[in-house]
Amino acid sequence: MNKKILYAIALAVALAAPFFGYPVFLMKLLCFALFACAFNLLIGFTGLLSFGHAAFFGSAGYVTGHLLANVGLSPELGILAGVAASAALGLVIGSLAIRRQGIYFSMITLALAQMVYFAALRSPYTHGEDGLQGVPRGRLFGLIDLSSDLTLYYVVLAIFVLGFALIVRTVHSPFGQVLKAIKENEPRAISLGYDADRYKLLAFVLSAALTGLAGATKTVVLGFETLTDVHWTMSGLVVLMTLVGGMGTMAGPIIGTFIIVALENKLGEVGTALAEMTGIEWFSSLGESVGMVTGLIFIVCVLLFRRGIVGEIGALFERRARAKPVAPAPGVVNPDREIA
């Protein structure tokens, strides 16, 4: 099926979703989906594994929350300020990290992200372990009242669509093709005259900015910001989302996000239902074992679905397409029939 048709169907489903589901939960899904797509731009198309993306996600949320709650900025300016802060932080961390490759790059991003975490823990502006509370939604452009969940949902959906469209455009641009070349064979890309470090830094900053957009939007949606968003476990969670869905695919991070976030929020309800159906009381404790369940899913994906869900489906269709016999062109004699 044509990708444009699939995108149109997905957009139609997203537009109708708040009439069938809880809008706040759906907005949370969209924010994390944008986070995973931004991370996928770095790991899936540039080949850089960052263990510190929570720093951009949480720092943007803190900046936006502080400006909205204590300075009184409008939501659009607060979100833009959060994006700018995450992009600036991405420039600093990226400039230091891209000097190394492989596991050393990942460890540098993790170490610097932990520094951001401890800064957030000690800073008086973040309120430490209490977090920022009571962040107002305000009025978008001074006209649109965001206190309505339904109104805010469509604003968040528009932000997600714009962010996702930017990622798609980037990947299919000449810049994106250079990123793919760097991922596949960096020495060859350098031999062709490309400044690999410059391209990797640009990709890192763009990924950090889009991650900040997701984090800032999430703060507006939920009305608070906590240390959870800057902790290293959040960086691990986005890695899990991307790998489960399919690294290096467009839809993979979105599918992976929906699976992981839905498990975190709905596993308790599923366990309760299973306990009532089967009479096995152990199922009722599933809600307390989210980490164990997501860990099992990760192990299964690594062992059986190396490309992720979307990647494996795409590979299956490719194998079927190659297996189909190709009909000879008109006027061309079938060599098998000639031999017979």
Side-chain angles (χ1 to χ4, degrees):
M1 189 181 292
N2 193 308
K3 287 185 178 180
K4 291 183 178 179
I5 298 176
L6 290 175
Y7 287 149
I9 293 173
L11 181 59
V13 171
L15 290 171
F19 298 102
F20 301 95
Y22 184 42
V24 174
F25 174 69
L26 295 173
M27 286 186 278
K28 183 179 177 181
L29 280 176
L30 290 174
C31 292
F32 276 106
L34 180 57
F35 182 18
C37 289
F39 177 76
N40 185 50
L41 176 64
L42 193 65
I43 186 175
F45 297 100
T46 315
L48 298 176
L49 174 58
S50 168
F51 281 143
H53 257 50
F56 314 125
F57 188 70
S59 61
Y62 274 120
V63 169
T64 299
H66 176 74
L67 292 177
L68 265 61
N70 300 315
V71 181
L73 283 187
S74 59
E76 69 276 6
L77 292 179
I79 290 175
L80 287 176
V83 172
S86 61
L89 185 60
L91 179 62
V92 174
I93 293 179
S95 299
L96 296 172
I98 63 169
R99 302 181 183 185
R100 296 292 181 265
Q101 295 181 350
I103 191 63
Y104 302 104
F105 170 88
S106 302
M107 290 298 101
I108 290 173
T109 57
L110 175 60
L112 294 174
Q114 284 300 98
M115 292 176 63
V116 174
Y117 169 78
F118 286 112
L121 178 64
R122 299 295 182 182
S123 174
Y125 299 102
T126 61
H127 301 285
E129 295 181 353
D130 295 331
L132 282 173
Q133 305 292 332
V135 177
R137 291 181 176 180
R139 302 178 70 90
L140 189 66
F141 304 116
L143 301 173
I144 304 173
D145 187 7
L146 300 182
S147 60
S148 168
D149 288 343
L150 187 62
T151 302
L152 182 58
Y153 171 81
Y154 287 112
V155 172
V156 174
L157 178 61
I159 291 173
F160 170 79
V161 170
L162 289 174
F164 183 74
L166 177 60
I167 292 172
V168 173
R169 182 67 188 91
T170 300
V171 169
H172 292 94
S173 67
F175 172 74
Q177 299 306 309
V178 174
L179 294 182
K180 291 180 182 179
I182 293 172
K183 177 189 175 185
E184 296 296 330
N185 194 324
E186 185 173 340
R188 181 174 294 180
I190 294 174
S191 70
L192 293 174
Y194 295 109
D195 187 347
D197 286 347
R198 176 171 170 268
Y199 278 92
K200 288 192 292 186
L201 180 59
L202 287 173
F204 195 94
V205 173
L206 179 58
S207 178
L210 289 169
T211 297
L213 178 61
T217 305
K218 175 177 171 288
T219 300
V220 175
V221 169
L222 299 182
F224 62 84
E225 180 62 30
T226 64
L227 289 172
T228 303
D229 288 346
V230 288
H231 197 258
W232 66 268
T233 53
M234 183 61 70
S235 296
L237 188 64
V238 75
V239 173
L240 178 62
M241 293 173 181
T242 307
L243 292 180
V244 168
M247 185 178 66
T249 64
M250 288 299 176
I254 301 174
I255 301 298
T257 299
F258 281 23
I259 292 173
I260 300 302
V261 176
L263 274 176
E264 287 190 337
N265 289 268
K266 301 297 182 181
L267 188 59
E269 298 177 11
V270 173
T272 302
L274 288 174
E276 293 176 356
M277 291 172 57
T278 62
I280 302 175
E281 190 61 29
W282 179 83
F283 283 120
S284 60
S285 63
L286 271 180
E288 303 171 3
S289 309
V290 174
M292 181 181 70
V293 174
T294 52
L296 287 174
I297 292 175
F298 177 72
I299 292 171
V300 170
C301 286
V302 169
L303 295 178
L304 302 179
F305 305 101
R306 300 293 296 273
R307 302 181 183 91
I309 295 173
V310 175
E312 290 294 341
I313 293 174
L316 177 62
F317 279 113
E318 288 180 6
R319 288 195 296 269
R320 287 187 175 181
R322 287 197 298 265
K324 287 182 179 179
V326 180
V332 177
V333 179
N334 190 326
D336 294 335
R337 181 178 300 177
E338 186 176 355
I339 293 172

